[in-house]
């Protein structure tokens, strides 16, 4: 019979497999120490407000458990990776059958679809961020403990990507604002009656969110030095074509602040009219006509006024897809084991809101 001895990798330590073999993880690092120092400074001033005027302050004594939890999580989960599955698709079933027991949950789908890798793809980044924002607004309590852990691990990777690449910080700022508002209401209002896990863990997560918000607030855009052709060197018709490609009004305003020429092009009435016609039906903006001083319709003000009443049309480079024949949700380039004679006719793109609706019972 084989010899059963002690683990040669020294039991009691956490080991990670690398290309060079197994390496032992250190239980404490300088990076963790710096992070704890920053979070401890924030935890002294964390204020959670409700609907009334009363305020509840969580000081360092209240968050002592949270600080210990950070060290424990760093020791157990040094890589901050989500649960990985071989198949990057999931069968969406809403009731028990003879072949399958139980039903598919939002947390299970969130774990299975590899969002951690999806955020590295520029085509999917906005899609994943929007999905996380919708979950933060209304479905956070529907996630299991493992799904919540994956949620915050992916959120951490998104913040780090924005800090490194300076890509679309406004989008992640809106996500963190919605998430912090939701957590403040849940922690102060209902607490652990709906949140999975100890309430101190959620206070710790709220501290982390506040730290991320502070980092994004202090984010400085790197000025790229390039002696070649710049945006300002392009002819006017090309700059105008670039502006007409934008589907978000705030992006047009931001680009218009770069140079006086771009500002002039960004104030074009025809540009904002096309934007209103793209996002809203004619019946919608006919009800909210805003004339300018010269008697013309102010399409720019119209766009932002209509945004308050109607949802704008979402546009993404890549989305999840749902196979109506197999009832499988998947990323299109990863594929799935489809049994249809013509799989392409069964595919349906899934918007972030549709993804949420698939798991509402």
């Amino acid at each position: 019979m084989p010899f059963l001895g002690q683990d040669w990798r020294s039991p009691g330590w956490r080991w990670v497999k690398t290309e060079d073999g197994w390496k032992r993880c250190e239980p404490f690092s300088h990076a963790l120490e710096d992070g704890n120092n920053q979070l401890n400074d924030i935890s002294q001033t964390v204020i959670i407000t409700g609907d009334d005027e009363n305020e509840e302050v969580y000081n360092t004594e209240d968050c002592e458990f949270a600080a210990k939890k950070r060290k424990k999580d760093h020791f157990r989960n040094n890589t901050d990776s989500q649960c990985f599955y071989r198949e990057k698709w999931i069968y969406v079933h809403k009731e028990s059958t003879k072949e399958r027991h139980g039903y598919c949950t939002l947390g299970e789908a969130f774990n299975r679809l590899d969002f951690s890798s999806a955020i590295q793809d520029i085509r999917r980044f906005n899609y994943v961020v929007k999905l996380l924002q919708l979950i933060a607004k209304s479905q956070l309590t529907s996630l299991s403990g493992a799904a919540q852990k994956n949620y915050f691990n992916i959120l951490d990777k998104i913040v780090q990507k924005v800090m490194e690449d300076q890509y679309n910080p406004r989008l992640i700022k809106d996500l963190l604002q919605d998430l912090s508002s939701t957590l403040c209401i849940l922690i102060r209002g209902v607490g652990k009656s709906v949140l999975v896990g100890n309430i101190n863990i959620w206070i710790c997560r709220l501290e982390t969110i506040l730290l991320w918000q502070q980092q994004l607030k202090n984010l400085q855009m790197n000025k790229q030095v390039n002696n070649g052709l710049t945006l300002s060197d392009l002819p006017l018709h090309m700059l105008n074509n670039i502006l007409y490609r934008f589907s978000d009004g705030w992006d047009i305003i931001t680009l218009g602040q770069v140079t006086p020429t771009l500002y002039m092009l960004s104030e074009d009435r025809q540009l904002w009219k096309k934007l209103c016609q793209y996002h809203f039906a004619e019946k919608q903006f006919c009800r909210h006509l805003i004339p300018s001083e010269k008697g013309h319709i102010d399409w720019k003000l119209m766009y932002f006024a209509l945004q308050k009443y109607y949802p704008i049309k979402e546009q993404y480079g890549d989305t999840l897809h749902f196979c109506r024949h197999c009832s499988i949700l998947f990323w299109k380039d990863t594929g799935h084991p489809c049994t249809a004679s013509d799989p392409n006719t069964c595919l349906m793109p899934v918007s972030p809101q549709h993804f949420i609706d698939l798991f509402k019972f």
Side-chain angles (χ1 to χ4, degrees), residues 155-347:
L155 191 58
D156 183 24
K157 293 180 180 180
I158 290 176
V159 173
Q160 299 308 318
K161 181 178 177 60
V162 172
M163 296 295 295
E164 294 173 3
D165 302 340
Q166 288 90 41
Y167 177 74
N168 210 343
R170 177 170 55 85
L171 194 64
I172 188 63
K173 286 180 181 178
D174 293 340
L175 165 59
L176 293 178
Q177 180 61 41
D178 291 337
L179 182 58
S180 62
S181 299
T182 301
L183 284 184
C184 287
I185 295 173
L186 292 176
I187 290 175
R188 191 180 188 279
V190 291
K192 59 185 178 181
S193 61
V194 295
L195 292 172
V196 177
N198 191 291
I199 194 168
N200 289 311
I201 299 176
W202 288 99
I203 295 174
C204 170
R205 288 171 175 168
L206 181 59
E207 294 174 8
T208 305
I209 294 170
L210 295 176
L211 174 61
W212 287 337
Q213 289 178 316
Q214 188 65 35
Q215 290 174 344
L216 291 172
K217 184 179 180 180
N218 299 331
L219 178 63
Q220 298 292 331
M221 295 295 181
N222 297 330
K223 186 176 181 180
Q224 297 183 356
V225 179
N226 190 353
N227 298 326
L229 190 68
T230 63
L231 187 64
S232 302
D233 298 326
L234 296 176
L236 289 179
H237 74 277
M238 293 186 67
L239 293 175
N240 202 41
N241 286 337
I242 292 174
L243 285 169
Y244 271 82
R245 304 281 180 175
F246 282 49
S247 61
D248 192 317
W250 285 109
D251 291 337
I252 295 176
I253 292 177
T254 303
L255 185 60
Q257 296 173 350
V258 177
T259 63
T261 302
L262 287 170
Y263 175 77
M264 177 191 68
L265 295 174
S266 67
E267 294 294 317
D268 182 26
R269 289 179 61 251
Q270 192 66 22
L271 171 65
W272 290 97
K273 180 180 179 180
K274 291 287 185 182
L275 196 63
C276 287
Q277 291 175 338
Y278 173 76
H279 285 290
F280 310 106
E282 186 176 355
K283 293 181 179 180
Q284 293 175 335
F285 57 75
C286 284
R287 299 174 184 172
H288 304 275
L289 293 178
I290 303 177
S292 62
E293 297 178 355
K294 298 181 179 180
H296 302 294
I297 298 176
D298 194 330
W299 292 103
K300 182 178 179 181
L301 291 179
M302 276 274 295
Y303 170 80
F304 290 104
L306 291 169
Q307 223 180 5
K308 299 177 181 178
Y309 298 100
Y310 310 105
I312 63 175
K313 186 183 296 184
E314 298 178 356
Q315 191 177 47
Y316 303 102
D318 191 15
T319 66
L320 287 169
H321 282 70
F322 181 74
C323 179
R324 292 187 293 267
H325 178 77
C326 306
S327 297
I328 287 180
L329 193 64
F330 65 102
W331 293 106
K332 191 173 182 179
D333 60 350
T334 59
H336 75 288
C338 187
T339 58
S341 57
D342 189 1
N344 292 330
T345 61
C346 305
L347 301 185

Side-chain angles (χ1 to χ4, degrees), residues 24-42:
R24 191 177 72 185
C25 291
E26 295 296 332
F28 194 79
S29 63
H30 296 292
L32 176 63
E33 184 177 10
D34 295 338
N36 279 334
N37 292 336
Q38 290 178 304
L39 289 171
N40 287 335
D41 293 338
I42 292 178

Side-chain angles (χ1 to χ4, degrees), residues 77-103:
N77 190 22
N78 184 266
T79 57
D80 283 340
S81 60
Q82 71 177 113
C83 300
F84 290 101
Y85 295 85
R86 181 174 299 178
E87 298 87 3
K88 305 304 179 185
W89 51 266
I90 185 168
Y91 178 79
V92 181
H93 53 107
K94 296 187 176 181
E95 57 184 9
S96 298
T97 64
K98 293 181 179 179
E99 293 78 14
R100 292 178 177 271
H101 177 68
Y103 55 88

